[in-house]
Amino acid sequence: MYSERIAGVRSSAIRDILKLTTRPGMISFAGGLPAPELFPMEEIARAAQNVFSKYGPSSLQYSITEGIKPLREKIAKKVYDGQGIGVENIIITQGSQQGLDLISKLLIDKGAVVLTENPSYLGALQSFRLFQADIVSIPSDEKGIQVKKLREALNSVKPAFIYLMPNFQNPTGVTLSMERRTELIELMRDRDVLIVEDDPYGELIFEGKSLPTLFSLARGKDIVYVSSFSKTIVPGFRVAYIAADAEIAGKLALVKQGTDLHTNTLGQHVVNEYLESGNHRKHLDMVRQTYKTRRDLMLSAMEKHFPKSARWNKPAGGMFIWATLADDGTDSKDILLRCIEKDVAFVPGREFFPDGSGGNTMRLNFSNAAPDDIEKGIKRIGEVLAGMGSEKRE
Amino acid sequence: MYSERIAGVRSSAIRDILKLTTRPGMISFAGGLPAPELFPMEEIARAAQNVFSKYGPSSLQYSITEGIKPLREKIAKKVYDGQGIGVENIIITQGSQQGLDLISKLLIDKGAVVLTENPSYLGALQSFRLFQADIVSIPSDEKGIQVKKLREALNSVKPAFIYLMPNFQNPTGVTLSMERRTELIELMRDRDVLIVEDDPYGELIFEGKSLPTLFSLARGKDIVYVSSFSKTIVPGFRVAYIAADAEIAGKLALVKQGTDLHTNTLGQHVVNEYLESGNHRKHLDMVRQTYKTRRDLMLSAMEKHFPKSARWNKPAGGMFIWATLADDGTDSKDILLRCIEKDVAFVPGREFFPDGSGGNTMRLNFSNAAPDDIEKGIKRIGEVLAGMGSEKRE
């Protein structure tokens, strides 16, 4: 009865386990949620009232598929300083997950190859699998995707596109280095292959300088750029966007029309109004500062409580720390099961690896953890790791 | 570069023509929009403020894929009086267009047959085409789909599903008769074929008694029911829903997760809060009354201004009147072009016919037309029709 594509979309065992993490007393580093206590509630409530009084019923009526114009203008400016791109390049989407869905619909035929980093964002993999893509992963390291390996792959396969998250990647927190960005753009020149650049976390930078997006380095050529207001304002509006050349944007709008007509009108208007209020910059600084503090708390707790054999990175932004444990055959899924008994949770890494490796890795979210819980939760994980380590030694 | 499925999704010539209808002075009966002047703006603004103060940041955070529980409970009650169905049967979708998208994703493999009425809702056809369905249409008449013809079709083909809009169909305004509903349920028994019942207009009933949905007649068995708050509250939230047996609902949730994670949280909360305010019944009565008045105005204007050879129906609810002109070779697309010169518009019927017939039909929307404009606009169309008629006679 069900379509063939559904066979590739199984309910994740991990997701089922993680449902347990909503019980009281649980400290969860598993989600990828922004900190709700930082949401600019007053400003948003005010923006909503302004929208109702300024725009009246049109703020609640059907609206055009591409998205409301004033918001698309702001996005065009933001994505590329308004130079060379305009509203015709911007499609507002129902969250960036929908951005990936529309792109998949537009570009993936059954069996088409999609190249990704290894590991890569789970939501993107789900989206590509729903369109029966053949996901081929390219090794990545602490500087992001290995461009040399990508070149080799491109010599033998023509993919529907290459999917990358260059800033503070989910799950690894890694940033694609400037050198690799340049190499990548060079590599792509004249290859007629699209890159889908997913950038939900780029603005959540804690230190150093923001690197230019691939979209801006390539002046928009052959790059489909996906980003969102979910991590910088709030997720609940589901207001995100795609920037692409006008032809691709036009096709995406056609696809979106058949998919959900348009993104919710009220959310678009409230985001637009909120951005006009001029408080966004300040809010964003506060969010960055808070997440940086939480990252640092988590890093020093890990220093104290994690075994000597474990390694992890210090992400310069985003929401996640990525830890790699000794490769002694322990699967982080088993660690999770023990952790849940101790009321603490994280995401085991394997699901992020299209090639099925990564059994000794774990993703730890720091953005949505209360500072008090960070030390406590990491200590609990450390205890589980120590206990399992000593079992091994016995 | 683009996927195969995109070839089936062309920009509609009609849609391009209808872009002209936003110019000032134009009287448009083309859209399918609810009347914005009837939107319960104050109640919604109040509901939004209540949501912010009652639920705080959680009203703007990520939320579960299936939709927020209190709203799903209300929907479960509404769809089937709460007997036998509960939250586990309800998935909240981003408009009912997304409902159709998720159903298509779950059920349609490339080349699978989908049976529809002839004519059928254009948005549904677009959705099915995006999944490369083979759309086979079954004749329908003033009582809805011809069950006898459907039986014949089912003897030779096993469709992915049958798509029907039994109440005040878009585009024809036709209601599936009680007799045919019963026959249909009888026919489907033990056939293991799903019906997708699309019911956006069922509550917009002007006269007579509401007929039971197929979903309630079949006690939910093998029926996937799709409906929306877009026509009864406002469209701009994009809050709609699917009711289905728990297994199908679970699969749809999996698909939705990969599609857009979840429906916008704020819209769901505001709709839920608005429904709790208890004014909805009264609001709905007012909307029905207003639309009925507009329907009657349009009918009497057509009586006065349309040629004797034209026929049309008197829909008992919904938003559309469907007119059939003399079958003298004139295409209603050409009529539209002349009408636009006279600042009046409608939708030519052919696009609604999967079999490409219906060149002499037109869909006229009355819900979103100001009463003053109805007489004026219909008169203009009548003049164009008279002019074209006399050209023929010359």
Side-chain angles (χ1 to χ4, degrees):
Chain A
M1 176 166 101
Y2 301 118
S3 65
E4 227 183 56
R5 72 174 62 80
I6 300 309
V9 188
R10 49 207 177 283
S11 177
S12 151
I14 299 296
R15 199 175 305 132
D16 292 340
I17 295 170
L18 290 176
K19 278 182 184 159
L20 300 171
T21 64
T22 53
R23 73 179 183 217
M26 181 69 71
I27 297 175
S28 178
F29 306 129
L33 277 62
E37 68 274 22
L38 307 184
F39 290 175
M41 294 304 295
E42 271 177 46
E43 287 84 348
I44 288 173
R46 203 178 314 126
Q49 290 311 302
N50 286 346
V51 163
F52 291 137
S53 58
K54 269 195 205 173
Y55 303 99
S58 77
S59 64
L60 296 169
Q61 182 60 292
Y62 285 111
S63 57
I64 65 165
T65 300
E66 292 85 345
I68 66 168
K69 212 173 153 189
L71 184 56
R72 282 156 70 214
E73 280 166 352
K74 288 184 185 64
I75 292 167
K77 272 207 187 106
K78 185 177 140 84
V79 171
Y80 195 42
D81 288 336
Q83 290 162 34
I85 82 159
V87 287
E88 70 280 9
N89 300 99
I90 307 295
I91 304 290
I92 293 175
T93 62
Q94 199 76 44
S96 55
Q97 187 69 30
Q98 189 191 49
L100 299 175
D101 179 68
L102 299 177
I103 291 167
S104 298
K105 248 184 196 161
L106 182 64
L107 300 173
I108 301 178
D109 277 316
K110 179 184 164 185
V113 169
V114 172
L115 297 179
T116 70
E117 299 162 85
N118 193 40
S120 184
Y121 170 53
L122 190 56
L125 301 178
Q126 282 182 314
S127 173
F128 308 153
R129 285 180 187 135
L130 268 172
F131 291 91
Q132 298 171 278
D134 178 11
I135 296 171
V136 176
S137 61
I138 308 292
S140 53
D141 57 29
E142 74 291 348
K143 291 178 175 176
I145 194 165
Q146 296 183 25
V147 179
K148 218 180 78 184
K149 301 280 186 187
L150 178 62
R151 177 180 291 117
E152 285 166 23
L154 288 174
N155 287 337
S156 63
V157 69
K158 164 103 180 180
F161 56 83
I162 303 164
Y163 171 77
L164 298 174
M165 198 185 284
N167 293 322
F168 325 126
Q169 197 226 24
N170 182 352
T172 62
V174 160
T175 294
L176 184 65
S177 71
M178 189 60 217
E179 200 186 343
R180 293 234 178 124
R181 287 176 199 235
T182 317
E183 276 173 36
L184 188 59
I185 298 302
E186 193 55 45
L187 170 65
M188 300 315 292
R189 187 162 296 160
D190 306 320
R191 278 205 188 239
D192 196 27
V193 169
L194 290 177
I195 290 180
V196 174
E197 179 179 24
D198 192 359
D199 190 22
Y201 309 112
E203 290 184 282
L204 296 182
I205 181 169
F206 309 149
E207 51 216 1
K209 232 182 129 246
S210 282
L211 297 180
T213 60
L214 302 175
F215 188 83
S216 67
L217 287 172
R219 301 185 158 267
K221 191 181 168 302
D222 292 340
I223 313 279
V224 181
Y225 178 84
V226 179
S227 188
S228 171
F229 294 106
S230 292
K231 309 301 189 295
T232 54
I233 306 178
V234 296
F237 294 132
R238 314 304 296 124
V239 174
Y241 50 91
I242 299 175
D245 80 40
E247 187 199 302
I248 293 177
K251 295 271 183 198
L252 285 168
L254 261 182
V255 169
K256 182 168 166 71
Q257 181 162 55
T259 300
D260 72 346
L261 298 185
H262 64 82
T263 297
N264 74 96
T265 318
L266 182 62
Q268 294 185 63
H269 272 291
V270 178
V271 167
N272 183 59
E273 185 72 17
Y274 169 78
L275 291 174
E276 279 178 7
S277 75
N279 292 323
H280 183 52
R281 227 10 60 201
K282 227 178 86 190
H283 170 72
L284 203 51
D285 282 342
M286 185 271 290
V287 173
R288 285 180 188 127
Q289 220 17 269
T290 310
Y291 288 1
K292 181 179 195 284
T293 306
R294 292 180 185 189
R295 177 203 63 178
D296 291 341
L297 276 172
M298 190 171 277
L299 288 171
S300 58
M302 289 170 78
E303 205 62 62
K304 217 170 358 168
H305 301 296
F306 267 38
K308 288 285 161 286
S309 57
R311 285 170 297 114
W312 57 86
N313 62 343
K314 182 184 178 183
M319 297 185 163
F320 305 107
I321 292 172
W322 180 249
T324 306
L325 306 173
D327 201 0
D328 59 2
T330 310
D331 194 303
S332 54
K333 199 171 127 189
D334 300 324
I335 301 171
L336 173 63
L337 288 173
R338 301 230 189 161
C339 281
I340 283 181
E341 289 170 21
K342 294 208 163 215
D343 281 337
V344 62
F346 61 88
V347 180
R350 196 193 296 277
E351 294 208 61
F352 298 101
F353 288 81
D355 72 356
S357 64
N360 61 329
T361 58
M362 55 205 287
R363 191 192 77 175
L364 296 156
N365 169 264
F366 53 81
S367 61
N368 190 32
D372 284 353
D373 286 345
I374 291 178
E375 161 71 20
K376 229 187 295 178
I378 293 293
K379 184 159 180 259
R380 289 182 196 166
I381 298 177
E383 285 163 5
V384 168
L385 292 174
M388 291 179 86
S390 58
E391 277 170 36
K392 296 249 167 210
R393 280 191 298 276
E394 271 158 21
Chain B
M1 175 165 102
Y2 301 118
S3 65
E4 229 183 51
R5 71 176 61 81
I6 301 308
V9 188
R10 46 204 179 284
S11 178
S12 151
I14 299 295
R15 198 174 305 134
D16 292 340
I17 295 168
L18 290 175
K19 280 185 182 158
L20 299 170
T21 62
T22 53
R23 73 181 184 215
M26 180 69 70
I27 297 175
S28 177
F29 305 129
L33 277 62
E37 68 275 21
L38 308 184
F39 290 174
M41 293 305 295
E42 270 176 50
E43 287 83 349
I44 287 173
R46 203 177 316 126
Q49 289 312 302
N50 287 346
V51 164
F52 292 137
S53 57
K54 269 195 207 172
Y55 302 100
S58 77
S59 64
L60 297 169
Q61 181 60 292
Y62 285 111
S63 56
I64 65 165
T65 301
E66 292 84 346
I68 66 167
K69 212 173 152 189
L71 184 55
R72 282 157 70 216
E73 280 166 352
K74 288 185 184 64
I75 293 167
K77 271 207 187 107
K78 185 177 140 86
V79 169
Y80 196 42
D81 288 334
Q83 291 162 31
I85 82 160
V87 288
E88 70 281 8
N89 301 99
I90 307 293
I91 304 289
I92 294 176
T93 62
Q94 199 76 45
S96 54
Q97 186 69 32
Q98 187 191 51
L100 299 175
D101 179 68
L102 299 179
I103 291 167
S104 299
K105 247 185 197 161
L106 181 65
L107 299 173
I108 301 178
D109 277 315
K110 178 181 165 187
V113 169
V114 172
L115 298 178
T116 71
E117 297 161 88
N118 192 40
S120 184
Y121 170 51
L122 189 55
L125 301 178
Q126 282 182 314
S127 173
F128 308 153
R129 285 179 186 135
L130 268 172
F131 291 90
Q132 298 172 279
D134 178 12
I135 297 170
V136 175
S137 61
I138 308 292
S140 53
D141 57 31
E142 73 290 349
K143 291 180 177 174
I145 193 164
Q146 297 183 24
V147 179
K148 216 180 78 183
K149 300 278 186 189
L150 178 61
R151 176 179 292 116
E152 286 166 24
L154 287 175
N155 286 337
S156 63
V157 69
K158 163 101 181 184
F161 56 85
I162 303 163
Y163 171 77
L164 298 174
M165 199 186 285
N167 293 321
F168 325 127
Q169 197 226 25
N170 182 352
T172 62
V174 160
T175 294
L176 184 66
S177 71
M178 189 60 217
E179 199 188 342
R180 293 233 179 127
R181 287 177 198 234
T182 317
E183 276 173 35
L184 189 59
I185 297 302
E186 194 55 44
L187 170 64
M188 301 315 292
R189 187 161 296 160
D190 306 320
R191 277 203 189 243
D192 195 29
V193 169
L194 290 176
I195 291 180
V196 174
E197 178 178 26
D198 192 0
D199 190 22
Y201 309 112
E203 291 185 283
L204 297 180
I205 181 168
F206 310 150
E207 51 215 3
K209 229 183 131 250
S210 283
L211 297 181
T213 60
L214 302 176
F215 187 83
S216 66
L217 287 173
R219 302 186 156 264
K221 191 180 169 303
D222 293 341
I223 313 278
V224 181
Y225 179 83
V226 179
S227 188
S228 170
F229 295 105
S230 292
K231 309 301 190 294
T232 54
I233 306 179
V234 296
F237 294 132
R238 313 304 297 120
V239 174
Y241 50 91
I242 300 176
D245 80 39
E247 186 199 303
I248 294 177
K251 296 271 184 198
L252 286 168
L254 261 182
V255 169
K256 183 167 167 70
Q257 181 163 53
T259 298
D260 72 346
L261 298 185
H262 64 84
T263 297
N264 74 95
T265 319
L266 182 63
Q268 293 186 65
H269 272 291
V270 177
V271 167
N272 182 59
E273 185 71 17
Y274 168 79
L275 290 175
E276 280 178 7
S277 75
N279 292 322
H280 182 52
R281 231 2 68 197
K282 227 177 89 191
H283 170 72
L284 202 53
D285 282 341
M286 184 271 290
V287 173
R288 286 181 187 128
Q289 220 17 272
T290 311
Y291 288 1
K292 180 181 196 284
T293 307
R294 292 180 186 189
R295 177 203 63 175
D296 292 340
L297 277 172
M298 189 170 276
L299 288 170
S300 60
M302 288 170 78
E303 207 61 63
K304 218 168 2 169
H305 302 296
F306 266 38
K308 289 283 162 286
S309 57
R311 287 171 295 115
W312 56 87
N313 61 343
K314 183 185 177 183
M319 297 186 163
F320 305 106
I321 292 171
W322 180 249
T324 305
L325 306 172
D327 201 0
D328 60 1
T330 310
D331 195 303
S332 54
K333 198 170 129 187
D334 300 323
I335 300 170
L336 173 64
L337 289 172
R338 301 232 190 159
C339 280
I340 282 180
E341 288 169 22
K342 293 207 163 214
D343 282 336
V344 63
F346 61 87
V347 180
R350 195 194 297 277
E351 295 208 60
F352 299 100
F353 288 81
D355 73 355
S357 66
N360 61 329
T361 59
M362 55 205 285
R363 191 192 74 175
L364 295 155
N365 168 264
F366 52 81
S367 61
N368 190 33
D372 284 355
D373 285 345
I374 291 178
E375 162 72 19
K376 231 187 297 179
I378 293 293
K379 183 159 181 260
R380 289 182 196 166
I381 298 176
E383 285 163 6
V384 168
L385 292 174
M388 292 178 85
S390 59
E391 277 171 32
K392 298 252 161 196
R393 284 190 296 276
E394 270 158 21

